[in-house]
Amino acid sequence: MPTRRQLLLGVAATALAGPATAQAPGEEARLEALLDRIFQDSVDESPERATSLGLDKGARAALKARLDDRSSADKARRLEETRARVAALRGVDRAQLSDAAKVDLDVVLYQQETALNAGERYSYGAVGGRFSPYVVSQQNGAYQDIPDFLDNQHRVETTADAEAWLSRLSAFAVAMDQDLARMGEDMGAGVTPPDFICDLSLGQMRALRGQPAEATVLVTSLAAKADKAGLGGDYGARAARIVQAEVFPALDRQIAAMERARGAATSDAGVWKFKDGAAYYADAVKALTTTSYTPDEVHALGLEQVADITGRLDGILKSQGYTKGTVAERLTALGNEPSQLYPNTDEGREAMLAELNARMQALDGLLPRAFRTLPKASVSVKRVPPFIQDGASNGYYQRAALDGSRPAAFFINLKDTHDWPKFGLATLAYHEASPGHHLQISLAQESTAIPLIRRTGGALSACTEGWALYAEQLADELGVYENDPLGRAGYLQSLLFRASRLVIDTGLHHKRWSREKATQYMVEVTGYPVGRSQREVERYCAAPGQACSYKVGHTVWVRSREAAKAKLGPRFDLREFHDAALLSGAMPLTVLERHIADWAAATAA
């Protein structure tokens, strides 16, 4: 029989229209209603999130024609709202809550307090779960977010859906102008992107602006979706007129502003150059790793792990006949062998996508050995849209819609297939799909035991990215590389890459490394090509601290599991551990360690 807690969350998931009406005893009911209200408000205030979750329907149908407000005024409003939420959450008597509810409170309060503290201290860019000092960069800004969002998340099945797309096209121009205004404010305060970020951003803006309006994805995607839905109408021509009359002029204004920024920019890559830059980065590291680690401690951890993993790789490569040069040079030689490369053609890209999908399917049969609970949502591999590939990360996961209307996807950047030698593809699939991001995020989203705000929440990169690296390790433990030593080398290269990030991110933002020095370090440590390494480094420049979350998270996940094994001895069950860890949703690493310790103690009792 479902608990009152499950009934409450079930009502919220079904209605999605306000505070749930089922009641749990006392203080717990108060917390549940508060968390549900925070979730409902967050969806109402973000039309893009409503669409992403599949909740832009029914009472929220009007949201489908709108985009998020990116203005300074709305940023200030959201900060005040966060302040009120923190006060309300702090008013909950934690001592009266169940163990599960304590985790819910701890997680959400941590996220809200992080956003509040950073928002009060730093006025530029975005802070909170993610620190992005630049409103517009090769990774941030409506100019690159919205075309991708419309193409991949805005569904067109009815005339109303198509009309909503057209409304969003007009709103796209407004959003770019809002970004432009905030960018100007930040530059006035001395926050200007490095020259290479300006160049990357301009390249992407000009790529969109350089097409005829009717050839942009903003038009072709709508026309294709409307045609597939059999809607009729001249939606392509109408969209092209909006792009020409509204979107392109706004894009021209943004290009002009970025050109002015380029004129004032330097090549300094790190945020140390800004007022309070050292404090900004220290806060970013704490927020993104959800630990108390300092930049110096993260840097030292990275150096230690780079040395350890390099030593493990050395033995494998020597056993396979790769004996000359440094480990990185041997990895480079392996990655350059013709047998390891897919042709850098559309046919080669399709073959790579097919191989990744096959790898994911092959692992499915092994998962019941490690997991008692598996997600219902499916996942497939797709290509990062070419129009954003120059500035996009090398890969990213997109969760399924909450209502099941859109499956999950792992997007891989295929600008150059030679960035992805075959020996490393398997671990890539395990990281981004199952048992990595897809399994963790989908299990939480499908859970009825945690509130909606935690089922759909983000901004806990250390927990999710750390899990994805742990999933790579788990695949190795399940025996996928038993007869594939080069595949194991690919797995270890992935860990080495993430360990090098600890050194590079802190090097850029704390030790004042240049982009060139950081890129060279990655090449010399990992053996990755210069182009791929430089794209990674450029990403860290636009998102300080985020790259540290992966390996710190992996370290804590492994430490938590080993502590539980030591506590339980022969009573330790891996599948039960994974249920305890995953069905409770993502959480800050400090909360995760306490949660796993409590589970182990209760299991041992």
Side-chain angles (χ1 to χ4, degrees):
M1 179 177 294
T3 64
R4 288 181 178 178
R5 178 181 181 79
Q6 290 170 327
L7 287 171
L8 176 64
L9 293 170
V11 169
T14 302
L16 294 172
T21 56
Q23 293 296 316
E27 199 72 356
E28 194 147 326
R30 180 184 172 200
L31 174 64
E32 289 170 342
L34 175 58
L35 295 183
D36 183 60
R37 184 68 266 158
I38 293 173
F39 170 77
Q40 305 297 342
D41 288 346
S42 72
V43 175
D44 289 337
E45 293 163 2
S46 174
E48 293 167 36
R49 187 174 189 215
T51 293
S52 179
L53 293 174
L55 302 181
D56 55 355
K57 57 188 67 174
R60 291 191 171 102
L63 294 180
K64 194 162 191 174
R66 295 164 45 198
L67 295 174
D68 291 358
D69 189 335
R70 295 168 177 258
S71 67
S72 294
D74 194 69
K75 180 183 177 182
R77 181 198 61 76
R78 283 184 276 113
L79 184 62
E80 287 303 312
E81 192 169 68
T82 301
R83 183 174 290 108
R85 290 170 177 171
V86 167
L89 289 165
R90 286 174 177 168
V92 174
D93 186 349
R94 189 176 184 277
Q96 295 188 40
L97 302 177
S98 66
D99 290 343
K102 287 176 181 176
V103 172
D104 293 338
L105 175 62
D106 292 347
V107 171
V108 179
L109 182 56
Y110 176 91
Q111 292 175 300
Q112 297 290 321
E113 284 182 331
T114 298
L116 176 62
N117 294 338
E120 289 180 330
R121 186 166 188 181
Y122 309 108
S123 61
Y124 53 87
V127 292
R130 184 185 183 202
F131 278 59
S132 302
Y134 313 116
V135 175
V136 181
S137 72
Q138 83 279 24
Q139 287 200 296
N140 304 312
Y143 85 93
Q144 62 116 32
D145 290 343
I146 302 308
D148 185 32
F149 166 75
L150 288 172
D151 184 38
N152 283 302
Q153 300 195 46
H154 185 114
R155 302 182 71 199
V156 177
E157 296 176 341
T158 67
T159 298
D161 294 340
E163 294 294 335
W165 181 297
L166 295 174
S167 295
R168 275 180 160 166
L169 276 189
S170 291
F172 178 26
V174 174
M176 281 193 285
D177 282 340
Q178 289 173 336
D179 279 352
L180 181 60
R182 287 184 54 203
M183 179 181 170
E185 293 168 4
D186 290 354
M187 286 183 62
V191 180
T192 300
D195 51 14
F196 56 87
I197 285 184
C198 294
D199 290 339
L200 287 166
S201 305
L202 284 167
Q204 293 187 165
M205 293 173 187
R206 288 167 178 157
L208 178 59
R209 182 62 178 90
Q211 304 173 69
E214 62 273 13
T216 65
V217 70
L218 300 164
V219 176
T220 59
S221 183
L222 171 60
K225 290 179 180 182
D227 183 64
K228 183 178 180 180
L231 299 184
D234 200 1
Y235 288 107
R238 292 174 63 192
R241 287 194 290 271
I242 296 173
V243 170
Q244 189 66 51
E246 300 177 45
V247 173
F248 278 175
L251 191 55
D252 288 338
R253 291 189 289 273
Q254 201 156 89
I255 289 171
M258 189 58 74
E259 288 173 339
R260 290 193 296 273
R262 177 64 173 83
T266 70
S267 61
D268 293 330
V271 296
W272 54 264
K273 61 187 176 182
F274 302 138
K275 181 183 177 182
D276 295 329
Y280 179 95
Y281 184 62
D283 284 344
V285 168
K286 288 181 179 179
L288 272 297
T289 66
T290 61
T291 67
S292 60
Y293 286 168
T294 67
D296 282 324
E297 288 171 333
V298 172
H299 194 82
L301 178 65
L303 291 172
E304 176 187 337
Q305 295 197 357
V306 163
D308 174 66
I309 300 166
T310 299
R312 295 164 66 188
L313 270 164
D314 183 43
I316 293 176
L317 293 171
K318 284 178 177 176
S319 74
Q320 298 303 302
Y322 295 90
T323 60
K324 296 181 179 179
T326 66
V327 165
E329 288 168 345
R330 283 175 271 162
L331 288 169
T332 298
L334 173 60
N336 286 335
E337 290 187 2
S339 62
Q340 290 290 334
L341 301 175
Y342 285 94
N344 199 30
T345 63
D346 287 342
E347 291 75 17
R349 293 180 176 91
E350 288 301 319
M352 184 184 292
L353 292 174
E355 171 66 14
L356 283 164
N357 281 301
R359 288 281 190 173
M360 292 192 301
Q361 292 174 7
L363 187 67
D364 285 347
L366 300 177
L367 293 180
R369 288 168 45 188
F371 297 94
R372 192 182 304 279
T373 309
L374 293 170
K376 301 180 182 67
S378 63
V379 62
S380 61
V381 188
K382 297 182 179 181
R383 181 182 180 183
V384 168
F387 59 85
I388 64 168
Q389 67 185 9
D390 286 350
S393 61
N394 284 322
Y396 54 89
Y397 173 80
Q398 181 185 91
R399 68 171 69 226
L402 188 63
D403 65 351
S405 60
R406 187 192 68 253
F410 153 41
F411 287 86
I412 180 172
N413 194 327
L414 296 183
K415 176 180 174 65
D416 187 346
T417 60
H418 293 182
D419 286 342
W420 304 106
K422 295 178 182 179
F423 74 95
L425 280 182
T427 199
L428 177 68
Y430 306 148
H431 180 106
E432 297 290 350
S434 290
H437 285 322
H438 177 63
L439 190 149
Q440 181 191 33
I441 291 172
S442 292
L443 281 181
Q445 188 160 292
E446 294 169 7
S447 172
T448 58
I450 54 178
L452 276 165
I453 190 172
R454 295 195 53 230
R455 287 166 55 188
T456 60
L460 289 168
S461 177
C463 186
T464 55
E465 295 297 351
W467 168 266
L469 282 187
Y470 168 79
E472 294 181 27
Q473 176 180 322
L474 184 64
D476 182 37
E477 293 169 348
L478 288 172
V480 297
Y481 303 120
E482 189 170 337
N483 300 307
D484 182 13
L486 291 183
R488 179 172 283 113
Y491 150 61
L492 289 175
Q493 186 185 33
S494 173
L495 287 187
L496 181 60
F497 165 50
R498 271 46 180 249
S500 77
R501 285 173 153 184
L502 301 180
V503 181
I504 291 168
D505 198 85
T506 51
L508 287 164
H509 298 292
H510 181 60
K511 295 183 177 293
R512 304 191 177 194
W513 286 13
S514 67
R515 174 184 60 157
E516 291 73 24
K517 180 176 180 177
T519 300
Q520 188 63 25
Y521 179 85
M522 180 171 284
V523 172
E524 291 177 352
V525 166
T526 67
Y528 283 161
V530 172
R532 177 179 178 182
S533 297
Q534 182 166 296
R535 280 201 305 276
E536 282 291 328
V537 168
E538 289 163 347
R539 182 160 74 96
Y540 312 155
C541 295
Q546 199 271 341
C548 299
S549 63
Y550 296 68
K551 202 63 179 66
V552 170
H554 174 242
T555 300
V556 173
W557 269 107
V558 173
R559 186 169 70 204
S560 297
R561 186 183 75 172
E562 295 311 302
K565 288 174 71 174
K567 176 76 173 178
L568 293 172
R571 295 176 60 185
F572 178 82
D573 184 299
L574 183 62
R575 297 190 302 165
E576 290 181 4
F577 166 76
H578 287 151
D579 265 4
L582 296 179
L583 299 184
S584 296
M587 56 190 78
L589 295 181
T590 50
V591 178
L592 174 69
E593 288 195 278
R594 183 169 66 245
H595 172 65
I596 294 301
D598 290 345
W599 167 79
T603 303

